[in-house]
């Protein structure tokens, strides 16, 4: 093994190691910025609909008004769940983790509506962006109340569609906008673990669904997408900000990991955190109950004071989603609804200049040894 | 970006880049060897049952006779398919690719029998090794003939179980031994793409099934596990060795890729090829029809003469499997039955010293640009 190859990894999880080119986004320049195709994620979250952002990620440019309208209509037409997939969702247990349901549904759709020259990667991307909220909520309501819901909600936006199916009624404008902004914030993040998994999968020329299925499974882990669920579990333990401060100090003393803080790539701050924090505050105000928000803010203060650690997107997403009435188990599936735009963009990019992703390993096991047949052991 | 990080990847697919440590196997030392936990794969394929090899990979040492008997009995007890999974298999279309069925079934089993402290990674590994042939053949026979088969075949070996379910009768000793040897040859191969995908997935602390599901999807690509199916498609085009020689010369002249030749890691030869070639010859002799074998051998000669390329495991696996009466669409699923032992060993190893696998990318997209709202575009 050469020194050159040694330097690339060891057990370092490829941190800071450049493994390929991308023109989709930059993460963490100057330790704190995030640009999608050159546009600041903060501008996009404040001024663009998520569908504009998905279009930008997938096509490289922002849509015109008519392109956006066409695109939203196209996505909206993809919300129906085929009967075979409904039947499968009925057979998945009521106590399944929603991420395992998403992973299975994506894989099953790859059997039901396989990738072909006609049903190509662009069409499948539209389909997954349109259908994923329907899949989750069809399964959810069936197993919670036995109701087979109509998955065609009237809202134009994916955020509105999701919230409507969840609550069985139109969301408030505030809820829809807050959820829409969160989708923009979660849409893309370079060679993160789930995106990298999707690139590894399709680099063998596996089908599109294999890439997205691998990504969903990878995202489900608490060190990745699952972090927002862990953050919620933390926040809701506490009865008020003082209780939260005491509790977090205790956890820190016990050297426990506090989920939702710090980031491998951002060194200064996570540019997405202030945006979602703003929405969390607005939602708290509209509810007339800011307990969760104040608990979250106190934890943020304690973590900065004690550990110089900043919240990442996952931390204030937890209180924001909770205040929209979203069950904790759906936090990571929402991440799927959104990141599908990023994953799809990366799959397209990987395929356009493909090379098998097949690294090497440093062997640290036993030396060569002579085989002995089982009767001699 | 430092020179050091630059050297790690570019668009090179991490070729030769060491991304972690492993004590499971060495691939390609001196360009041609493969050792599982220090033992030569050739000795293992010639003298050990696949279950011995799986035990070795998972536990680090070969089993004693009584450990092996216990292990085989434990795996044999895992062949039943739960009703919910049967119901799901019934809903997957008859024309699904078997690999998409395997991917979906693995993910669904993760909902039905989730990973818990009690149902831990060791138990799930046994379960998947036992159940995968049952899953494939239950789906296959149901959609081919409408028959809901009993998935509990009497053979002790996984190879025998699979062949019995496939053909509806006990395999010959030759078939069972040949299939068993092929499982040993496919069982493990370092940080290949599917194994790497499984490590990327579980490094986020995602569940065991997410790792195996990602691996199955990744394996399905023609640049990886799908290569044996492509090799079969090539071989069966030709009516005799001369026709094959002419056809391959034509393909080479057109600069087409011939699947089943060369390897990213082996530079001299693939040590597994001669073993499976030997079994292919024996199967041909027992059939009294060696046409496919002679066609394969001629293609091997032409590729060496014209391109100095050696066959890899996938090439003679194609004729070997075909001569066992196995449909081409099942070649890569057999790879799953076997490589599950390797994937599981790597997941256990990754978890024992885990770090998130999250690389970086070189940005080659647009410079920062100012956002313009949709009404101004």
């Amino acid at each position: 093994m050469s020194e050159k190859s040694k330097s690339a990894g060891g057990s370092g999880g490829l941190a800071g190691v450049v493994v390929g080119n991308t023109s989709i986004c930059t993460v963490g320049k100057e330790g704190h910025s995030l640009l999608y195709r050159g546009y600041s994620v903060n501008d996009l979250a404040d001024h663009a609909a998520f569908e504009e952002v998905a279009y930008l990620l997938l096509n490289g440019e922002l849509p015109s008004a008519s392109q956006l309208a066409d695109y939203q209509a196209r996505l909206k037409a993809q919300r129906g769940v085929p009967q075979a997939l409904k039947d499968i969702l009925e057979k998945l247990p009521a106590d399944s983790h929603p991420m395992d349901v998403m992973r299975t549904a994506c894989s099953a759709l790859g059997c039901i509506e396989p990738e072909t020259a006609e049903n190509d990667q662009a069409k499948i991307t539209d389909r997954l962006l349109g259908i994923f909220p329907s899949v989750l909520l069809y399964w959810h309501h069936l197993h919670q109340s036995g109701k087979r819901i109509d998955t065609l909600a009237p809202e134009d936006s994916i955020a509105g569609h999701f919230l409507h199916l969840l609550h069985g009624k139109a969301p408030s404008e505030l809820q829809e906008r807050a959820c829409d902004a969160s989708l923009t914030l979660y849409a893309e993040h370079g060679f993160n673990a789930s995106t990298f998994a999707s690139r590894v999968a399709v680099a063998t020329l596996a089908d599109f669904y294999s890439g997205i299925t691998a990504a969903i499974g990878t995202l489900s882990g608490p060190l990745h997408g699952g972090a927002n669920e862990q953050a919620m579990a933390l926040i809701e333990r506490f009865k008020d900000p003082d209780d939260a401060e005491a509790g977090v100090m205790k956890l820190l003393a016990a050297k426990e990991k506090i989920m939702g803080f710090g980031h491998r790539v951002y060194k200064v701050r996570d540019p997405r955190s202030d945006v979602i924090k703003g929405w969390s505050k607005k939602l708290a105000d509209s509810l007339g109950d800011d307990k969760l928000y104040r608990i979250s803010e106190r934890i943020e203060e304690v973590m900065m004071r004690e550990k110089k650690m900043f919240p990442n997107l996952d931390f204030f997403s937890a209180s924001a989603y909770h205040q929209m009435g979203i069950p904790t188990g759906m936090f990571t599936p929402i991440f799927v609804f959104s990141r599908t735009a990023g994953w799809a963009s990366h799959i397209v990019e990987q395929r356009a200049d493909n090379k098998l992703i097949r690294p090497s390993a440093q062997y640290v096991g036993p030396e060569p040894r002579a085989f002995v047949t089982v009767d001699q052991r």
Side-chain angles (χ1 to χ4, degrees), chain A residues 292-334:
Chain A
L292 265 190
Y293 180 79
R294 286 184 300 115
I295 287 171
S296 302
E297 215 175 21
R298 183 69 71 85
I299 296 173
E300 181 187 18
E301 285 166 26
V302 173
M303 288 298 288
M304 183 47 71
R305 184 185 73 213
E306 300 295 325
K307 305 291 292 181
K308 301 263 176 293
M309 286 179 85
F310 54 83
N312 58 44
L313 171 57
D314 294 316
F315 188 66
F316 280 100
S317 293
S319 52
Y321 287 149
H322 187 87
Q323 295 172 136
M324 291 177 217
I326 300 171
T328 304
M330 290 189 190
F331 291 5
T332 320
I334 298 174

Side-chain angles (χ1 to χ4, degrees), chain A residues 65-343:
Chain A
S66 73
Q67 286 171 327
L68 178 60
D70 286 352
Y71 184 53
Q72 284 183 314
R74 212 158 74 226
L75 295 180
K76 197 172 172 179
Q78 298 299 328
R79 294 177 183 172
V81 181
Q83 190 58 47
L85 185 52
K86 286 182 179 173
D87 292 341
I88 288 169
L89 292 170
E90 304 212 0
K91 297 300 176 186
L92 295 179
D95 62 356
S96 300
H97 191 289
M99 282 297 282
D100 298 344
V101 173
M102 298 298 293
R103 185 188 65 205
T104 305
C106 180
S107 183
L109 199 65
C111 297
I112 299 163
E113 300 176 0
E115 184 173 18
T116 59
E118 175 55 33
N119 189 35
D120 65 9
Q121 58 186 5
K123 284 191 182 145
I124 297 171
T125 303
D126 289 352
R127 179 63 162 150
L128 295 179
L129 284 168
I131 203 177
F132 273 157
S134 302
V135 162
L136 179 68
L137 275 312
Y138 184 88
W139 170 80
H140 172 77
H141 288 298
L142 181 77
H143 291 285
Q144 294 303 308
S145 66
K147 204 176 157 196
R148 291 178 174 78
I149 61 164
D150 175 4
T151 61
L152 307 182
E155 285 75 10
D156 289 330
S157 74
I158 290 170
H161 174 227
F162 162 64
L163 290 169
H164 193 128
L165 295 188
L166 173 61
H167 297 309
K169 62 175 188 192
S172 70
E173 201 189 320
L174 173 64
Q175 287 177 332
E176 187 172 348
R177 271 298 295 139
C179 186
D180 186 84
S182 88
L183 294 181
T184 290
L185 297 174
Y186 272 121
E188 160 57 11
H189 218 231
F191 277 33
N192 58 87
S194 57
T195 300
F196 185 51
S198 73
R199 294 186 77 127
V200 171
V202 301
T204 70
L205 305 183
D207 75 326
F208 194 89
Y209 296 95
S210 289
I212 303 289
T213 302
I216 295 172
T218 304
L219 185 69
S220 70
L223 297 185
H224 192 8
N228 52 19
E229 299 184 16
Q230 306 280 324
M232 190 65 220
L234 174 75
I235 297 163
E236 66 188 353
R237 286 198 220 174
F238 305 121
K239 64 177 197 296
D240 59 39
D242 289 344
D243 186 34
E245 174 151 0
V248 169
M249 291 299 287
K250 217 175 199 168
L251 289 169
L252 290 175
K255 306 224 179 285
E256 299 248 14
K257 190 169 165 65
I258 309 290
M259 301 307 282
F261 285 86
H263 197 278
R264 180 175 287 187
V265 179
Y266 299 118
K267 300 303 174 198
V268 180
R269 64 184 166 81
D270 182 337
R272 305 166 298 178
S273 178
D274 282 350
V275 182
I276 197 67
K277 184 180 175 184
W279 286 110
S280 181
K281 177 78 168 76
K282 280 182 195 159
L283 288 158
D285 291 345
S286 82
L287 289 171
D289 174 3
D290 64 357
K291 192 186 86 170
L292 265 190
Y293 180 79
R294 286 184 300 115
I295 287 171
S296 302
E297 215 175 21
R298 183 69 71 85
I299 296 173
E300 181 187 18
E301 285 166 26
V302 173
M303 288 298 288
M304 183 47 71
R305 184 185 73 213
E306 300 295 325
K307 305 291 292 181
K308 301 263 176 293
M309 286 179 85
F310 54 83
N312 58 44
L313 171 57
D314 294 316
F315 188 66
F316 280 100
S317 293
S319 52
Y321 287 149
H322 187 87
Q323 295 172 136
M324 291 177 217
I326 300 171
T328 304
M330 290 189 190
F331 291 5
T332 320
I334 298 174
F335 198 155
V336 172
F337 304 160
S338 160
R339 185 60 60 87
T340 295
W343 293 330

